[in-house]
């Protein structure tokens, strides 16, 4: 509510103050009773021919799907984990088996091995969304009960796929934590993946995990 400047006329000041209070009460009453409702976007009708073409285009395989298919096979995975910035690295090994599913539209990747001295199993699904022009992925594993989702773009010059997303912060109930994954195709038989997240001690982004993948001959 606007503040009124004092004038030389005390009577006018009193009248302004009274009007101000009345306007404030009316405004608060109106706001409490009827909150502003945003107008919905007008729906534009879509004919069946347009919808069918859009569906066909959405499901059509392209260069990005072909690239994912080139990553099929069994890979050896050497993993290094840091619990926090500056912590001693913990190393482990395992395998990843990649295969295209649903007519080559998605890649399923099954991970097995040991991590931090315990058996570990994970499953990821990745696809390239023709509508958003982004890669999308999901991840589940034997250490958790949730699903991590990420999305991002491919840098052809750097041969790098950068995905970002969020997941529940299990140490801070009700909050989410940022995740970033950077995967680099070194050559046809070698890949590198680095995962970043907030440092549990400082909250600053740090490298939590690095995986070097080598295709089995």
């Amino acid at each position: 509510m606007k503040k009124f400047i004092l004038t030389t006329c005390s009577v006018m000041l009193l009248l302004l103050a009274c009007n101000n209070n009345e306007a404030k009460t009316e405004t608060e009453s109106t706001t409490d009773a009827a909150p502003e409702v945003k107008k919905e976007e007008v729906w534009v009708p879509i004919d069946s021919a347009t919808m069918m073409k859009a569906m066909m285009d959405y499901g059509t395989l392209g260069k990005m799907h072909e690239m994912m298919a080139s990553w099929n096979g069994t890979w050896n995975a050497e993993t290094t984990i840091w619990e926090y910035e500056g912590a001693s690295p913990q190393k482990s090994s395992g395998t990843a088996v990649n295969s295209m599913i649903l007519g080559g539209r998605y890649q399923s990747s099954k991970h097995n091995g040991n991590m931090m001295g315990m058996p570990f199993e994970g499953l990821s699904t990745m696809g390239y969304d023709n509508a958003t022009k982004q890669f999308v992925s999901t991840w589940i594993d034997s250490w958790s009960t949730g699903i991590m989702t990420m999305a991002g773009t491919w840098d052809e010059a750097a041969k790098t796929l950068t995905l970002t997303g969020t997941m529940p912060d299990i140490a801070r109930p009700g909050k989410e934590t940022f995740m970033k994954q950077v995967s680099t195709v070194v050559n046809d038989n070698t890949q590198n993946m680095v995962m970043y997240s907030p440092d549990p001690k400082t909250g600053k982004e740090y490298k939590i995990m690095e995986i070097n993948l080598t295709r089995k001959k």
Side-chain angles (χ1 to χ4, degrees):
M1 188 59 67
K2 294 182 179 179
K3 295 182 178 179
F4 294 95
I5 301 175
L6 291 176
T7 66
T8 57
C9 180
S10 61
V11 176
M12 183 61 69
L13 175 61
L14 178 61
L15 291 174
L16 287 173
C18 290
N19 289 336
N20 186 31
N21 288 336
E22 290 176 0
K24 181 177 180 180
T25 302
E26 182 179 354
T27 301
E28 290 176 347
S29 176
T30 302
T31 302
D32 293 341
E36 183 181 354
V37 178
K38 294 183 180 179
K39 293 182 179 179
E40 294 185 0
E41 184 178 347
V42 177
W43 182 263
V44 178
I46 304 172
D47 61 83
S48 58
T50 300
M51 188 63 195
M52 181 58 69
K53 183 181 185 305
M55 291 176 62
M56 295 299 291
D57 290 344
Y58 194 43
T60 299
L61 303 182
K63 291 183 178 180
M64 297 296 100
H65 302 94
E66 294 175 3
M67 180 175 68
M68 282 191 293
S70 71
W71 303 337
N72 280 354
T74 300
W75 299 71
N76 290 319
E78 298 298 327
T79 303
T80 305
I81 294 177
W82 294 266
E83 291 186 27
Y84 53 88
E85 185 72 46
S88 299
Q90 301 184 47
K91 298 181 179 294
S92 61
S93 60
T95 60
V97 180
N98 300 336
S99 60
M100 298 303 288
I101 60 175
L102 299 181
R105 290 172 176 81
Y106 304 90
Q107 185 173 74
S108 172
S109 184
K110 298 181 179 180
H111 300 253
N112 286 280
N114 287 281
M115 191 172 295
M116 300 176 70
M118 295 179 285
F120 180 84
E121 182 179 1
L123 177 63
S124 71
T125 302
M126 184 167 66
Y128 179 76
D129 192 318
N130 288 336
T132 63
K133 308 302 181 185
Q134 286 191 319
F135 281 87
V136 291
S137 75
T138 63
W139 171 264
I140 55 177
D141 59 53
S142 57
W143 283 15
S144 63
T145 55
I147 301 176
M148 182 171 67
T149 60
M150 307 182 83
T153 56
W154 169 256
D155 185 333
E156 178 62 29
K159 300 297 181 183
T160 297
L161 174 62
T162 302
L163 305 174
T164 59
T166 60
M167 63 180 297
D169 189 332
I170 59 175
R172 298 174 178 81
K175 297 183 180 297
E176 292 189 327
T177 185
F178 169 79
M179 302 295 293
K180 181 171 73 174
Q181 175 180 311
V182 181
S183 299
T184 302
V185 176
V186 181
N187 54 51
D188 290 345
N189 299 309
T190 308
Q191 294 186 12
N192 172 268
M193 189 277 281
V194 179
M195 183 76 75
Y196 300 89
S197 73
D199 188 312
K201 294 181 177 294
T202 65
K204 296 181 179 180
E205 181 179 299
Y206 85 111
K207 182 168 72 171
I208 186 175
M209 177 188 300
E210 181 171 3
I211 302 178
N212 289 304
L213 297 152
T214 305
R215 195 195 302 265
K216 281 191 173 183
K217 298 295 178 72

